[in-house]
Amino acid sequence: MLSVLRVHLPSEIPVVGCEITPYVLLRRPDNSISNDDVPESVPLDGYYMRYRWYRIQSDRKIAMCSVHPTEQATLQCLGCLKSKIPVSKSYHCSSKCFSDAWHHHRALHDRASNTVNENGGEEDELFGRFGSGGSSVINAGLSGSTSRIGYTPGLNNGSAPSFPSSVSERNGGETWFEVGRSRNYTPTTDDIGNTLKFECVAVDLETRVAVGTPSSIMTSRVIPAPSPIPRRMIEVGGVDVLGNIDPETRAASFGTFTVLSYNILADSYTTSDSYSYCPSWALSWPYRRQNLLREIIGYHADIICLQEVQSKHFEEFFAPELDKHGYQALYKKKTVEVYNGNSNSVDGCATFFRRDRFSHVKKYEVEFNKAAQSLTDAVIPAGQKKIALSRLIKDNIALIAVIEAKFSNHGADNPGKRQLLCVANTHVNVPQELSDVKLWQVHTLLKGLEKIAVSADIPMLVCGDFNTVPGSAPHALLAMGKVDQLHPDLIVDPLGILRPASKLNHQLPLVSAYSSFARMMGVGLNVEQQRRRMDPTTNEPLFTNCSRDFIGTLDYIFYTADTLSVESLLELLDEESLRKDTALPSPEWSSDHIALLAEFRCKPTRIRR
């Protein structure tokens, strides 16, 4: 007979929009134990599993704090209501909570006043709709900007549940609504502030009668998905963007396109020991994947370069989800000569591009382990090859895609010429003490790109997490085309792979996209704000990675300056706003890195140098 042995939830705190998949351990009729489902469509010896989800709703309305979502709210921001910001973002658990978050509220109010579609969808409100215009700013001050929850006429939680709910039972001031009949359930805005109950039982297929007592488990109160302040695109041609850029208008701009680079933090690296400051529910992959997807989609990028994408997550989540939004996917998994864990946990680089803007031409895969083998065969004495390979082999890869634009930038003088683009995506994950290996891998990648460059007149983008800070030898090689022979990083070279130092160069005219912030002309609040978030000594952002023990820049988007120009950049974040949650990742931002996004314009062939 089929029976339930144990039921538990992956996270005790359910979040709106994040699917809950209970762990149900079954004893099968042959006495074997498994957590595989037994649906009615495929019964087992005449039995199947039946599932029910219930929302347990108190007659007394409850709102949860938008900053501390596990705490009950006592205050509400009237400015948010007037600005038509989703009601769940207006609640706070105390006066101090509201006061501390006032800067966040003012930013939301200002953005709402510049939004064309005041009733835009949740995705647009979370990450900013690239559009501008709208009404004037509602200038609500802290005093008199709150109302007591007890005086609120009711909660407006938005959309209806995906499953038609029905009253199942009333008991002691509580009403049970049936909201789902499958093993999984995704909480909706109607569930906010309420607990959920999951119930499962084996059923006789012939009689449709439950066998034994149903097993059940209760969740904590459902909380809204935390939302960060939307990041805006800032023009770098001298005038900053006061509103947001409409993605459709931007896409139609002659010869322009956008590129996103983002290390999303692989789930296999996301341990409670490493990120103990982040709530466990916000570290769970079901929550993080949805939060990351909302963020990535919200940027409306034409090309997306992601790092630390586990192979299973690419195949089962990112590829199919982004396909729904019109993206074609390419992927390269890291090699596994060093790694000895679960093959599904191996991460890699994923590149996506919008099918309506680009078509795939060619894909190159760079495996640095193979390059290491060739190097040792060529220059390392036979007796030292094993030691050399143990130092050089780190399983890193690069994914290079050549794509063709479906828009033209050549004009009437050369209408038939193809507009190709080469996009390199890499993660140079090498320990800091192996600076020679890191520099060698970057040099190897650049030499490979040089070969592509000489075969075609083609703009190039080099994106990724290079795990190297501005001023280091790898950064100098990328940004300057060479490494000073007296650079301190060259001292570490036990294998002699960096000698002579004069060979450490390349001919690609690469420039860091975000260095454009340091060269911005003009004045204004946004211009000055971005300058303060740049390091004036390196012309790079102060940080792209912010954990408890490290803050600094590791991620870059480089471009060939003779073929491309930067039009606008996604604004940088300030450390203070991130430190309120100690560091990244946090409930708002689901990676320890921040996303970089740049808008480029292809230079007409006649003005390229």
Side-chain angles (χ1 to χ4, degrees):
M1 185 181 296
L2 185 67
S3 61
V4 179
L5 294 178
R6 184 158 57 96
V7 178
H8 76 84
L9 298 171
S11 175
E12 60 186 33
I13 299 177
V15 183
V16 169
C18 296
E19 185 179 67
I20 307 172
T21 304
Y23 180 84
V24 181
L25 193 63
L26 303 175
R27 184 183 296 280
R28 294 172 170 252
D30 61 359
N31 279 329
S32 64
I33 295 173
S34 171
N35 65 343
D36 293 336
D37 193 13
V38 183
E40 184 179 357
S41 58
V42 189
L44 195 61
D45 288 359
Y47 297 95
Y48 67 93
M49 291 301 301
R50 185 177 70 196
Y51 305 104
R52 294 289 186 271
W53 283 92
Y54 300 96
R55 177 172 68 241
I56 303 175
Q57 192 164 309
S58 172
D59 292 347
R60 176 173 170 265
K61 298 294 184 181
I62 296 174
M64 308 307 291
C65 177
S66 60
V67 177
H68 308 98
T70 58
E71 301 293 327
Q72 189 170 329
T74 62
L75 297 171
Q76 186 174 28
C77 174
L78 294 180
C80 286
L81 297 182
K82 293 177 182 178
S83 301
K84 299 185 180 181
I85 290 165
V87 68
S88 61
K89 301 177 185 180
S90 65
Y91 295 121
H92 291 273
C93 56
S94 67
S95 297
K96 183 179 186 303
C97 173
F98 179 76
S99 178
D100 290 345
W102 180 240
H103 173 73
H104 176 91
H105 276 282
R106 287 300 300 271
L108 287 177
H109 300 167
D110 291 348
R111 297 295 169 86
S113 72
N114 289 319
T115 301
V116 174
N117 179 11
E118 291 185 334
N119 296 313
E122 182 72 9
E123 173 190 301
D124 295 333
E125 287 156 347
L126 282 179
F127 298 104
R129 186 171 178 81
F130 292 100
S132 60
S135 61
S136 60
V137 177
I138 295 173
N139 193 9
L142 181 58
S143 175
S145 294
T146 64
S147 65
R148 290 288 166 182
I149 293 300
Y151 295 102
T152 303
L155 301 181
N156 176 18
N157 286 323
S159 61
S162 56
F163 182 88
S165 61
S166 59
V167 177
S168 174
E169 181 181 338
R170 290 183 65 86
N171 182 21
E174 291 183 339
T175 305
W176 289 24
F177 292 91
E178 183 182 314
V179 293
R181 290 190 175 185
S182 64
R183 185 168 179 171
N184 302 339
Y185 179 69
T186 302
T188 70
T189 52
D190 285 342
D191 298 320
I192 292 174
N194 301 305
T195 55
L196 300 173
K197 179 181 179 180
F198 172 70
E199 187 177 277
C200 61
V201 66
V203 174
D204 186 300
L205 180 65
E206 183 176 347
T207 64
R208 306 288 173 171
V209 175
V211 180
T213 304
S215 298
S216 63
I217 191 168
M218 303 277 288
T219 71
S220 299
R221 295 187 187 276
V222 176
I223 65 173
S227 58
I229 298 175
R231 295 171 66 185
R232 291 180 290 185
M233 293 295 284
I234 307 294
E235 288 186 1
V236 296
V239 182
D240 65 307
V241 181
L242 297 178
N244 295 317
I245 302 173
D246 189 311
E248 294 179 1
T249 301
R250 187 183 70 242
S253 180
F254 187 66
T256 66
F257 60 93
T258 52
V259 180
L260 174 74
S261 184
Y262 197 5
N263 180 328
I264 62 170
L265 179 60
D267 183 50
S268 56
Y269 304 145
T270 312
T271 65
S272 55
D273 290 339
S274 299
Y275 305 106
S276 58
Y277 49 84
C278 185
S280 58
W281 59 266
L283 276 182
S284 69
W285 180 242
Y287 172 75
R288 290 182 58 241
R289 72 176 187 176
Q290 292 295 341
N291 203 34
L292 287 164
L293 182 65
R294 278 196 297 267
E295 181 185 1
I296 291 166
I297 290 172
Y299 292 134
H300 304 282
D302 297 316
I303 301 167
I304 300 171
C305 295
L306 303 181
Q307 301 87 44
E308 290 195 20
V309 181
Q310 289 177 213
S311 57
K312 183 177 181 180
H313 296 162
F314 171 79
E315 294 165 3
E316 298 181 0
F317 184 70
F318 285 108
E321 288 298 325
L322 286 169
D323 176 70
K324 296 174 187 176
H325 292 269
Y327 289 93
Q328 184 172 333
L330 300 172
Y331 183 72
K332 174 58 181 174
K333 183 168 67 173
K334 289 168 63 175
T335 47
V336 290
E337 291 182 49
V338 177
Y339 181 80
N340 56 11
N342 187 329
S343 60
N344 287 328
S345 298
V346 179
D347 64 280
C349 294
T351 299
F352 304 85
F353 55 88
R354 281 176 49 187
R355 287 187 292 265
D356 63 335
R357 302 224 71 209
F358 294 96
S359 58
H360 180 236
V361 176
K362 195 166 186 178
K363 172 185 175 184
Y364 299 91
E365 296 180 349
V366 179
E367 294 184 0
F368 293 109
N369 284 4
K370 288 184 178 179
Q373 186 68 57
S374 299
L375 177 67
T376 54
D377 288 344
V379 303
I380 304 296
Q384 300 177 22
K385 284 186 178 181
K386 186 174 181 179
I387 296 174
L389 287 173
S390 67
R391 184 177 183 88
L392 292 171
I393 289 181
K394 294 293 172 282
D395 286 340
N396 293 329
I397 55 89
L399 172 61
I400 303 172
V402 176
I403 55 181
E404 181 178 356
K406 293 183 178 180
F407 54 86
S408 173
N409 194 50
H410 298 289
D413 58 336
N414 198 357
K417 185 173 174 61
R418 302 168 70 190
Q419 178 61 72
L420 298 177
L421 182 67
C422 180
V423 183
N425 181 9
T426 190
H427 182 197
V428 183
N429 189 10
V430 177
Q432 297 299 329
E433 62 272 16
L434 302 181
S435 59
D436 56 323
V437 179
K438 190 177 300 185
L439 178 56
W440 169 74
Q441 288 194 358
V442 171
H443 184 250
T444 300
L445 172 61
L446 291 171
K447 285 301 180 182
L449 291 173
E450 266 190 338
K451 293 178 182 178
I452 298 174
V454 298
S455 64
D457 177 21
I458 181 169
M460 287 199 167
L461 293 161
V462 186
C463 308
D465 174 5
F466 290 85
N467 202 33
T468 190
V469 297
S472 64
H475 180 265
L477 182 60
L478 284 158
M480 305 300 293
K482 61 182 180 179
V483 180
D484 190 310
Q485 297 187 30
L486 299 178
H487 197 289
D489 283 0
L490 301 184
I491 296 174
V492 179
D493 185 20
L495 301 176
I497 58 175
L498 305 180
R499 295 193 286 268
S502 57
K503 75 175 184 179
L504 298 173
N505 61 72
H506 66 88
Q507 301 303 313
L508 301 173
L510 294 179
V511 175
S512 174
Y514 270 78
S515 67
S516 298
F517 270 152
R519 300 189 299 272
M520 275 196 305
M521 304 296 292
V523 294
L525 177 61
N526 287 327
V527 173
E528 290 303 318
Q529 190 180 63
Q530 296 311 305
R531 285 192 184 128
R532 288 196 299 270
R533 296 172 185 176
M534 297 288 293
D535 184 341
T537 62
T538 64
N539 286 345
E540 294 287 5
L542 289 173
F543 69 91
T544 63
N545 177 265
C546 180
S547 62
R548 179 172 51 194
D549 303 320
F550 173 82
I551 183 166
T553 293
L554 303 175
D555 309 86
Y556 307 90
I557 298 175
F558 286 95
Y559 67 98
T560 46
D562 62 334
T563 56
L564 297 169
S565 62
V566 181
E567 295 292 302
S568 59
L569 296 166
L570 185 67
E571 66 180 338
L572 297 166
L573 297 176
D574 67 284
E575 182 180 356
E576 182 182 359
S577 68
L578 302 181
R579 290 299 186 191
K580 67 181 176 62
D581 294 309
T582 302
L584 297 176
S586 68
E588 293 181 343
W589 305 103
S590 289
S591 174
D592 55 346
H593 293 250
I594 66 170
L596 301 180
L597 177 66
E599 179 185 29
F600 293 98
R601 182 182 299 277
C602 295
K603 292 182 178 180
T605 306
R606 62 181 178 274
I607 66 169
R608 293 180 186 176
R609 298 190 203 124

